[in-house]
Structures are given as C-alpha cells and as structure tokens.
Amino acid sequence: MKQTAHLWLALLAAWLLASCSSDSFKIDGKIEGLGTQNVHVVYNGDEGAVDAIMPTHDDELRIKCHSSEMTVVSVIDMRGVLLARFAAQNGDEISIMGKLERLDDIKVSGNDVTDEWMTFREANASLYQSLPNQALDQAIEKYVKANPKHLCSTILLLYDHGDLTSNDSKLKLLQQIAPEARPDHLITSAEWLQEYYTHHMAKAVHSLHLCGTSGDFERLVVDKQRSLLYFWNNDFSAESSRLRRDIIAAIKRMKAGDASVMVADILLDADSTRWASTCRRDSTSWRHYWVPGGVVDAALKDFRIPSAPYFLATDSLGRITYRGTDVHAAIRSLH
C-alpha cells in the first residue's frame, strides 16, 4: 500500500510539474483608449529575433510569445509609442493595465524581475520624464552597486541607462553584476534590439506612398533633393505640446536659411480628426501626410520608426544621413 501511495504521489507531482510548465508566456492587457489596432511585439526568443504584428480589440490585447530564457519584450502601438516594456519567459502570465493617455502610469506585472523593474521606475518616475538624464543614470548605478545579484540590475543598465556609449564603460558596469544576474541571452537580446533599430533598416528613401491632405494617396519623392521627414503623433500633453512647438520653430528657422531642403511631416495616428487643425495652427508651408497604419504601415515598415517624434534626414540621392529623435542633429546633418 505504501508503494502504491508513493507511486500516486510521484505521479501527482509529475502532473503538477507538467501543468505548471509551459512552452510560452502570455500577455493579457487592457489599455483604455487603445481601441482596435495592430501593435508591434518585439523581443528575442528561442528562435531568434521576433518582430510580430498583433491585433488588439476594444482596448484589449491577448498575445502568446515564446522564450525559454528571460527576455525583454517591447509592446509598441502603430504610432511608434512604447506602451510597455517588461521581462518575461515561458510560463509567465504578464498583465498590462492602464490608459493610453497616461502611459507613465501603466502597470505591468507577472514575475519578480518585472515587478522589481516597475518598482524602480515608479520610485524614479520624475527622472524618466526627460531622457537622457544624468540623475537617472546615477540612480541606476547606485542600484546596480547595491543589488549586484539582481537580474533587474542588468535590465536597468541595458535598457534605461543613457550613458553606455562605449563598450568599455558598458563592460565595466556590467562586470559589477554577478555572472548569474547577467545571463548571456539577456545581454544578447539588448544588443539585438539596438542593432535592429540602427542597422537592420533601409539605408535610403526614394519615394513614399502616403495619404495627403486632399484625402487621396500621393507619391512623395524624396531622392531629388535634401529632405527632412518629421514623424509625429497626437500627444497633446503639456510636455509634448511644448516639444512640438520647439520642433516646428527649429524647422522653420532651417527653412528660412535654406529653402532648398524639402520638408514633410507625417502623422502616425490612426485617428486623423485633429490632423488638419493641428497643421493649420502650426502655420507651416511644407507638406503634410498621414499613414493610417502608423509605424506598422507597409510604407514605413522598412524604416524601423521606433517612436514619435522621430526624424529621417536624407541627402540629394535619398541616402539617410540621420535617423533619431533630435531635430537639431537632423538639421545639422543636412548641411
């Protein structure tokens, strides 16, 4: 009888172990205002890089991903806005809750590493408002030194620290973390993401098929002159509105000094109801376009637009001379 009981206990334990294991992790989210659209889900999984386009419905997203090792997942809406970024691996059930108009307050949970990451971000929320931020870098370095055995230290260093411009400084900071808390797969994931947004993209822009202000699709020819493309979205928070005014003013000054540069701005929002009124308020003379599919639109997918505002500057042959978020750097590259 004892042997039978032991056998049943062993079988039960095996069944429980099997039921708890999984070949995937699940993302279950509700973000008010998200509506029904496609989102980018970007991560490095068991079979390599994943850049999947997944549908959402009525503010809800339910996504299944695969990675047997801890990886970092970015969920990006079609405007190029980062909705959530978290750590996950097979067996996790990730929850995302919040409002599209309050992205800083979106809550993500599902495992200890993500919970620790979110706790740090909440405690230092004011430092994340302006990036890069030396004070945030210092806070991360302090956290790393105090928590060298925490996986979160590696994640903060790789994804939130803004001053890892050289491999030497990166290596020095990483070496302060215990080997078990900086697994190769996680470091590779971060390096792949950086590579994805810098090298695995089109190197030139020749023409784009975009919706013009007339409501019809038009061909925007880029490779006949030096050009500046400005990608934006309808974020009307005080900080974003101030930034937009500064961007418009900088481009106007550039055009006043060099009228030969072709400028076009491109709205990434699915909702274009305020498009015309915003452009009129800006009082700009350059051309305005809209891509209904946002950053996942076929017209833009090869250019890897990760966020908005964002800029592409090109020479007279259409070759990209700048890509990034700094309008002043974009303008300098045109000279």
Side-chain angles (χ1 to χ4, degrees), residues 126-301:
S126 62
L127 301 181
Y128 280 89
Q129 295 301 311
S130 178
L131 297 174
N133 187 321
Q134 187 176 8
L136 175 60
D137 293 345
Q138 292 170 348
I140 290 172
E141 290 164 18
K142 181 180 178 180
Y143 179 93
V144 169
K145 291 175 182 177
N147 300 278
K149 296 184 178 181
H150 290 204
L151 197 59
C152 186
S153 291
T154 298
I155 290 174
L156 284 168
L157 203 54
L158 294 176
Y159 288 89
D160 290 358
H161 195 290
D163 191 28
L164 295 178
T165 53
S166 74
N167 289 332
D168 289 342
S169 62
K170 182 176 184 178
L171 182 60
K172 183 177 178 181
L173 287 163
L174 280 173
Q175 285 176 340
Q176 297 181 29
I177 301 173
E180 65 271 19
R182 48 180 168 92
D184 291 341
H185 181 78
L186 196 58
I187 294 172
T188 301
S189 296
E191 291 173 344
W192 166 78
L193 188 64
Q194 182 180 20
E195 180 84 1
Y196 177 83
Y197 281 119
T198 54
H199 300 295
H200 293 285
M201 51 156 283
K203 300 298 190 297
V205 189
H206 299 292
S207 66
L208 296 171
H209 196 55
L210 307 168
C211 182
T213 50
S214 66
D216 295 327
F217 277 82
E218 305 170 6
R219 182 170 175 256
L220 171 63
V221 178
V222 179
D223 59 1
K224 300 298 183 183
Q225 66 281 298
R226 290 170 299 136
S227 303
L228 177 65
L229 305 180
Y230 164 34
F231 300 89
W232 62 286
N233 59 38
N234 282 319
D235 182 351
F236 294 104
S237 64
E239 178 64 22
S240 294
S241 296
R242 181 199 61 76
L243 178 60
R244 180 170 173 80
R245 288 193 298 270
D246 291 346
I247 289 170
I248 296 297
I251 298 176
K252 284 182 176 180
R253 287 194 299 270
M254 182 269 294
K255 283 288 287 180
D258 191 350
S260 65
V261 176
M262 189 278 289
V263 175
D265 62 50
I266 301 165
L267 175 66
L268 298 175
D269 266 354
D271 183 0
S272 64
T273 54
R274 302 175 70 175
W275 176 32
S277 61
T278 301
C279 292
R280 283 195 300 270
R281 188 170 62 249
D282 293 335
S283 299
T284 56
S285 59
W286 55 77
R287 286 174 280 183
H288 313 289
Y289 295 94
W290 169 51
V291 280
V295 295
V296 302
D297 195 280
L300 301 182
K301 193 173 187 301

Side-chain angles (χ1 to χ4, degrees), residues 61-77:
L61 57 155
R62 291 186 173 86
I63 301 166
K64 182 183 289 187
C65 305
H66 306 271
S67 181
S68 58
E69 298 182 73
M70 188 67 72
T71 190
V72 171
V73 183
S74 300
V75 180
I76 305 165
D77 77 4

